[in-house]
Amino acid sequence: MEFNIVEWFKAVFLGIVEGITEWLPISSTGHMILVDEFIKMNISEEFKALFLVVIQLGAILAVVMLYFKRLWPFSTKEKFFISPDKFSMWLKIFVACIPAGVIGVLFDDQIDELLMKPIVVVAILILYGILFIILEKRKIGEHPRVESIDGLTYRDALLIGVFQLLALIPGTSRSGATIIGGMLIGCARPVAAEFTFFLAVPVMAGASLIKSVKFGMENGFSLDGNEVMILVTGMVVAFAVSVVVIRFLMGYIRKHNFIIFGWYRIVLGLVLLGYFCL
């Protein structure tokens, strides 16, 4: 199929948006929906739904690359070739995945139909922006109970997973919900952020798999040349940008809070509210 340079540039831009917003607490899904209001891709609605989720695989690969030694559980130095600490960490990640996994599988179609709308994103951007500021003003996380991922209990992991449920509403921010949730239960900011990054790997991979299977069943598992180009471009760009953003965020949160992101969400939400009203 003939190469479409315009759609390629759109995929590059969306990859940049995904790479930035996936890890900052400003909602990647929300931004992708809003960007789509202004940059319309010449693709089917079914493929667009696939693209907006599968593009996250690039962001996942950034986490895997940056934290490979922390995530890889196998070691020839261990008795059973599995590191007990890393095995325990993966069990906690699995526990944290359960709430969103169950609700996501059962109500995926309903969530897409009812909530994947710009006005919902605008309202949630503003609401959670206010909540971010209020919670940070309370100085949560100043005296953390948990200062390493090893210190997380399975109950802590499950509670973080419950907070992750909020991210099923577009505009919430999965990273923001889980980081703030982790801090509310006593985690230091860097611990909450790293656990959020690790948690993203199975959660986002699972979401991509569900969307891919659904798209394949409805469309015969066939993609044309432009669609393959769009997917690959979005994933590669999201990967490169995510590497930079993750490194920035980990450095930033060691010295700063999330108030600036709260104000960003409020201002963006108000601007977009004005746009949609007019």
Side-chain angles (χ1 to χ4, degrees):
M1 190 164 182
E2 184 180 352
F3 177 74
N4 191 322
I5 188 65
V6 175
E7 297 307 308
W8 183 83
F9 275 117
K10 291 177 182 177
V12 169
F13 183 75
L14 288 170
I16 293 172
V17 174
E18 165 64 23
I20 293 174
T21 60
E22 184 61 52
W23 308 112
L24 300 183
I26 53 178
S27 176
S28 62
T29 302
H31 277 74
M32 298 294 267
I33 293 173
L34 294 172
V35 167
D36 184 58
E37 284 291 309
F38 303 97
I39 301 179
K40 295 289 185 181
M41 297 188 77
N42 188 25
I43 55 179
S44 68
E45 288 299 318
E46 294 80 8
F47 179 71
K48 183 189 297 183
L50 174 69
F51 174 78
L52 292 178
V53 176
V54 173
I55 193 176
Q56 296 175 340
L57 289 174
I60 294 173
L61 291 175
V63 174
V64 173
M65 186 196 77
L66 290 173
Y67 292 97
F68 183 79
K69 291 183 178 179
R70 297 277 304 279
L71 293 170
W72 186 249
F74 303 105
S75 172
T76 56
K77 298 179 181 179
E78 302 294 339
K79 183 177 180 181
F80 297 104
F81 302 103
I82 297 178
S83 168
D85 291 341
K86 293 178 182 176
F87 181 72
S88 174
M89 180 187 74
W90 274 108
L91 283 179
K92 293 170 186 175
I93 291 172
F94 172 77
V95 169
C97 287
I98 293 174
V102 172
I103 299 300
V105 169
L106 293 178
F107 301 104
D108 180 58
D109 291 335
Q110 291 88 336
I111 291 171
D112 283 352
E113 181 180 351
L114 296 175
L115 300 179
M116 288 292 184
K117 299 176 182 178
I119 192 63
V120 174
V121 174
V122 169
I124 297 300
L125 278 171
I126 295 173
L127 174 62
Y128 281 94
I130 294 171
L131 288 176
F132 276 17
I133 294 171
I134 292 173
L135 291 173
E136 287 289 12
K137 290 291 187 180
R138 292 178 54 195
K139 300 185 183 300
I140 61 172
E142 278 202 346
H143 304 288
R145 169 178 57 84
V146 181
E147 297 186 351
S148 71
I149 288 181
D150 290 342
L152 282 171
T153 65
Y154 288 98
R155 178 179 178 275
D156 293 334
L158 182 61
L159 288 174
I160 292 174
V162 172
F163 277 101
Q164 186 174 231
L165 284 174
L166 297 173
L168 294 175
I169 305 173
T172 299
S173 170
R174 193 198 62 81
S175 62
T178 50
I179 291 174
I180 291 294
M183 291 167 59
L184 282 171
I185 65 172
C187 297
R189 264 192 194 84
V191 175
E194 285 192 347
F195 191 74
T196 292
F197 297 158
F198 300 166
L199 183 57
V201 175
V203 168
M204 292 160 60
S208 298
L209 177 62
I210 291 172
K211 290 290 186 182
S212 299
V213 170
K214 184 181 297 184
F215 178 84
M217 292 177 66
E218 295 173 353
N219 298 274
F221 293 94
S222 61
L223 297 172
D224 63 35
N226 269 327
E227 289 173 335
V228 173
M229 176 272 295
I230 288 170
L231 279 181
V232 172
T233 298
M235 289 173 59
V236 170
V237 174
F239 167 79
V241 175
S242 290
V243 170
V244 176
V245 172
I246 289 171
R247 286 174 172 167
F248 160 77
L249 184 61
M250 288 306 299
Y252 179 87
I253 62 177
R254 287 187 171 92
K255 299 179 181 179
H256 304 88
N257 57 35
F258 284 158
I259 289 180
I260 188 172
F261 297 116
W263 282 115
Y264 169 83
R265 293 172 65 101
I266 293 171
V267 171
L268 177 63
L270 291 174
V271 169
L272 290 169
L273 180 62
Y275 168 79
F276 289 122
C277 287
L278 296 175

